[in-house]
Amino acid sequence: MNMNKTRNKAAITIAAMVTVLLFFSIQGTAVFVFQLTGTAARLIPALVIWILAAASFLFVKIMKMPLPDVGLRAPQKGSLKKLYYLIPLIAVGALGLIGGIDFSQGIGYMFACLCYVLAIAVSEEMYFRGTICNIWKDTGSKKAILISAALFGACHALQAMANPDLLQTVLAICFAFFYGIAFAQIFILTKSVLPGIIIHAFHDLCSFIGNPVGNEADVIIGAVQTVLIIIFICVIHFRSFSKHNNPEKQIAEKCKRVTKMKKHISKRNLLIIIAIILVAAAAIFISLAAYGKYRMSLIPKMSSQEILDYTLKDNEKGIITVGIIKDGKASYSVYGKDGKQLDNELHTYEIGSLTKTVTASLINKAVIEGKIDIDGSVDKYIELPAKEHYPTIRELLTHTSGYKPYYLEGVMIKYHFSKNNDFYGVGDSDIITRLEKENIVGKDYPYNYSNFGYAVLGLVLEKVYATEYTTLVNDYLHNELGMKNTKISEGDGDLGNYWEWQPGDTYLAAGGITSDIEDMLIYARLQLDEDETWKNAHTALKLFDANSESYKALGIRIDGTAYGWICDTESGFLWHNGGTSDYNAYLGFSTADDTAVVVLSNLSPDYRIPATVLGRKIMGELTGK
């Protein structure tokens, strides 16, 4: 009989785990396959996880488990008095906000984060505590706690292992395991999942909306959080789970008379509890949204120096180099911790998608030389099977080809956990195979920024010049443009954390160049001098309105594209930016004002205020536009 009970418990546990892993795999795959970013990257997974949460109720119903038994009830009377030291758990979650709150992606993104964390909290507490911990409880509280915590930790281990930093990975796995113990202890003591849901959601929300603080700080914060959790676990254990202080016996004795009268929590009370949680969550969200709107409104009023001070505040490793050309004179300054100016030392930065302007200028050169017809389709230059429609060179240059930002290739999955660059290993054959598969109809597509499109342009250049892209670009940069320190990345430089590339990777054409400020000022000077070749490269190839409200509020406009350059028709500026995992860059210029600005940063594009905002601010200060 006992053997059958154990088998049933094991079966239920396995079913619960499989369900959780299935849904979390689905939401993760959806983000990766459909290349979801920003608000969509939170809202779509939130929908998937809410379905998981709903499935937990169905799961409970199928198992014929009363809702109060799985913790959907108010905390056991008197139990919360034992948990006044829940405050440290709130402090643990709040550490995620140590770098401040990131409002850069707007109110919609924060609302999506709130939906996502509530879905995760409800589903995980229902499965791991309400179901798994609950069914093993009769074998002993400690055993039930360890089983549910081990499975909770194992579930999060898969996600943690995606982090290339080994120390952060180990800390994340340990933290998930100990957090699982703490949540299980709370569930056993209160007989309710509601306290766990609130704390769980709060912790995840803080981690999602907090400003990045850098890998080293993340390790320190993770270690502090883990220590705090262990202390909390020990305090609860010795106060409530020792041999002489068993919570189940104490609470059972104390509530023996009451349980006969109140066997299950009433539906009315449950609805009241849910309503209170929702009202509290809404209040938190409205407060954060209002504060976020206020903080966003401050950025346009900030000076460039204030932006530098804020972005580099307390950051020991951040180095931002700003170059300016005004009225024929070029100069640059280097900034470090707290926005303090450093010695004018040259640093090697990844320039990310600013590489596209170099790829596009080579296309422009080939057009002038008669090697490429800008309105010719790609199959004219790349050997492809006959098809009704392939996009033109113009459409690829202007991001209006109909292609997605990138496509999921098998090699990307292969290297996802071992490389810091999602485009590592994607070669010419992968691009050609994808071109053969994708059916783009002959219509006017809207602007949709496409790294894939520029990878195709790199392949076109290889074909028309019969030269491998890296060789072609390095020769062009060094011998024609005079940018001796600029090249296709070899992973070397003084700042570290450069993307890894494989020789011949096709996405190098979309974001593979490294450079320094002196060379980037040479590049900016070439744009301002504007001989006939560059004048042609600056001519708008297509005009459209791709402006977002958040960008417009910061004075950043996307009104069209030239050869790689983005057109701001309101100010007359041409500009482009770039970003990799640990770098972001900006180059903007106005030939009418004889002004150019270059910003190079070794900080992630998601870190505080990015180079694009700083660069546009400086352009405005110099030109009055």
Side-chain angles (χ1 to χ4, degrees):
M1 190 72 170
N2 288 335
M3 184 64 73
N4 287 336
K5 276 188 177 182
T6 303
R7 285 175 181 168
N8 288 339
K9 289 173 185 175
I12 293 171
T13 301
I14 292 169
M17 277 294 290
V18 168
T19 304
V20 170
L21 290 173
L22 176 63
F23 275 87
F24 273 89
S25 298
I26 290 171
Q27 62 98 18
T29 303
V31 171
F32 195 56
V33 171
F34 297 107
Q35 302 144 38
L36 301 177
T37 58
T39 302
R42 295 289 178 228
L43 210 52
I44 301 303
L47 177 61
V48 175
I49 303 304
W50 272 117
I51 295 172
L52 171 64
S56 69
F57 291 93
L58 181 62
F59 189 89
V60 166
K61 189 173 181 181
I62 292 171
M63 295 295 110
K64 297 181 179 179
M65 301 162 73
L67 292 183
D69 285 1
V70 295
L72 281 174
R73 48 161 294 162
Q76 182 81 43
K77 188 176 179 181
S79 62
L80 286 180
K81 291 180 181 178
K82 288 177 167 286
L83 295 174
Y84 62 87
Y85 32 81
L86 281 174
I87 294 170
L89 278 188
I90 296 172
V92 168
L95 283 173
L97 300 177
I98 202 166
I101 299 174
D102 179 13
F103 297 106
S104 62
Q105 300 198 58
I107 293 172
Y109 176 78
M110 297 188 75
F111 175 73
C113 284
L114 182 61
C115 292
Y116 188 43
V117 299
L118 283 172
I120 291 172
V122 171
S123 57
E124 289 190 349
E125 292 309 305
M126 282 293 292
Y127 281 101
F128 288 103
R129 262 63 70 179
T131 302
I132 295 173
C133 184
N134 186 52
I135 63 173
W136 289 97
K137 201 165 54 175
D138 63 357
T139 64
S141 297
K142 293 177 185 176
K143 186 174 181 180
I145 288 169
L146 288 174
I147 289 173
S148 63
L151 294 174
F152 185 69
C155 184
H156 287 75
L158 295 174
Q159 182 181 357
M161 284 188 289
N163 193 325
D165 189 296
L166 179 61
L167 187 54
Q168 286 193 48
T169 299
V170 172
L171 276 172
I173 294 171
C174 291
F175 183 71
F177 173 69
F178 289 123
Y179 225 143
I181 292 177
F183 282 140
Q185 286 178 328
I186 292 168
F187 172 71
I188 294 288
L189 287 169
T190 64
K191 299 188 181 300
S192 173
V193 294
L194 299 182
I197 288 172
I198 294 169
I199 297 170
H200 197 151
F202 175 75
H203 175 271
D204 286 353
L205 183 64
C206 290
S207 68
F208 282 135
I209 67 173
N211 271 315
V213 290
N215 289 347
E216 196 170 284
D218 278 339
V219 170
I220 295 170
I221 291 169
V224 171
Q225 288 178 322
T226 304
V227 170
L228 285 174
I229 284 289
I230 293 171
I231 292 171
F232 177 83
I233 290 167
C234 291
V235 171
I236 289 189
H237 175 76
F238 290 114
R239 287 182 65 95
S240 305
F241 286 90
S242 63
K243 290 181 181 179
H244 303 291
N245 202 4
N246 190 297
E248 287 132 314
K249 289 181 181 178
Q250 288 181 351
I251 296 173
E253 288 296 325
K254 191 174 179 180
C255 302
K256 200 170 184 180
R257 297 185 302 275
V258 181
T259 52
K260 292 181 180 178
M261 299 166 55
K262 296 184 177 181
K263 196 169 183 180
H264 302 301
I265 188 169
S266 69
K267 289 183 180 179
R268 181 185 172 189
N269 288 342
L270 182 59
L271 288 173
I272 291 171
I273 292 165
I274 292 171
I276 290 170
I277 292 171
L278 291 175
V279 169
I284 292 170
F285 168 70
I286 292 168
S287 300
L288 288 173
Y291 182 61
K293 192 172 182 181
Y294 166 71
R295 288 300 298 269
M296 283 293 290
S297 70
L298 294 179
I299 294 177
K301 300 172 187 174
M302 295 171 73
S303 68
S304 58
Q305 186 59 54
E306 287 172 332
I307 290 173
L308 280 164
D309 293 347
Y310 170 71
T311 303
L312 289 165
K313 185 177 180 181
D314 298 324
N315 192 316
E316 298 280 356
K317 294 192 175 181
I319 297 177
I320 297 177
T321 303
V322 177
I324 292 170
I325 300 176
K326 181 65 178 173
D327 299 328
K329 296 179 180 178
S331 63
Y332 72 89
S333 302
V334 183
Y335 300 89
K337 182 183 176 183
D338 298 323
K340 297 288 177 19
Q341 194 164 335
L342 308 175
D343 293 338
N344 276 8
E345 182 181 347
L346 290 178
H347 300 284
T348 300
Y349 296 86
E350 290 179 331
I351 65 169
S353 287
L354 264 167
T355 301
K356 291 181 176 69
T357 65
V358 176
T359 298
S361 68
L362 274 168
I363 292 287
N364 175 51
K365 179 173 178 282
V367 169
I368 292 171
E369 292 172 352
K371 295 179 183 294
I372 289 177
D373 174 8
I374 193 171
D375 291 310
S377 58
V378 292
D379 59 324
K380 184 176 178 180
Y381 309 101
I382 303 170
E383 189 175 338
L384 294 166
K387 199 184 288 187
E388 188 174 334
H389 179 78
Y390 284 103
T392 65
I393 302 299
R394 182 190 299 270
E395 288 168 338
L396 292 171
L397 284 166
T398 57
H399 302 283
T400 56
S401 64
Y403 287 134
K404 293 180 180 180
Y406 65 89
Y407 293 90
L408 178 64
E409 308 296 349
V411 69
M412 296 170 86
I413 298 171
K414 177 182 177 181
Y415 291 116
H416 180 65
F417 295 108
S418 60
K419 302 297 177 184
N420 62 356
N421 173 12
D422 284 337
F423 302 113
Y424 180 93
V426 181
D428 293 355
S429 61
D430 299 300
I431 300 297
I432 290 171
T433 301
R434 179 59 60 180
L435 285 169
E436 293 171 353
K437 287 181 180 178
E438 294 303 315
N439 290 314
I440 302 297
V441 299
K443 70 173 187 178
D444 190 18
Y445 285 97
Y447 175 83
N448 185 26
Y449 191 85
S450 177
N451 288 303
F452 177 79
Y454 269 75
V456 174
L457 288 173
L459 189 52
V460 168
L461 287 169
E462 287 186 339
K463 300 299 182 184
V464 298
Y465 283 106
T467 306
E468 195 265 336
Y469 180 82
T470 296
T471 303
L472 180 68
V473 169
N474 284 345
D475 179 68
Y476 177 63
L477 290 167
H478 300 161
N479 300 323
E480 294 192 44
L481 303 188
M483 298 167 67
K484 302 298 184 182
N485 296 324
T486 305
K487 62 183 179 181
I488 292 296
S489 178
E490 295 174 0
D492 57 341
D494 61 309
L495 296 177
N497 296 324
Y498 300 104
W499 266 5
E500 297 175 77
W501 293 95
Q502 191 167 272
D505 281 351
T506 315
Y507 275 97
L508 284 164
I513 288 178
T514 59
S515 187
D516 62 28
I517 192 63
E518 286 187 349
D519 272 13
M520 290 306 293
L521 285 172
I522 290 172
Y523 192 51
R525 180 76 268 170
L526 288 167
Q527 312 308 316
L528 292 177
D529 289 345
E530 201 177 48
D531 64 16
E532 286 304 311
T533 299
W534 290 110
K535 190 172 184 178
N536 189 65
H538 300 160
T539 303
L541 297 175
K542 190 158 191 173
L543 295 175
F544 41 72
D545 182 0
N547 295 293
S548 66
E549 290 303 316
S550 59
Y551 255 24
K552 283 196 291 185
L554 298 168
I556 301 166
R557 297 186 62 86
I558 304 175
D559 298 317
T561 49
Y563 277 85
W565 296 105
I566 297 170
C567 306
D568 177 345
T569 57
E570 197 170 272
S571 64
F573 298 166
L574 292 176
W575 65 278
H576 209 290
N577 58 5
T580 60
S581 299
D582 292 287
Y583 290 85
N584 73 119
Y586 168 88
L587 195 164
F589 62 94
S590 168
T591 54
D593 299 292
D594 193 27
T595 301
V597 171
V598 179
V599 179
L600 303 175
S601 170
N602 69 332
L603 301 171
S604 164
D606 298 326
Y607 186 84
R608 296 185 183 173
I609 301 178
T612 305
V613 176
L614 174 60
R616 178 59 180 87
K617 173 63 69 173
I618 298 172
M619 283 292 292
E621 291 173 346
L622 293 174
T623 63
K625 295 180 181 177

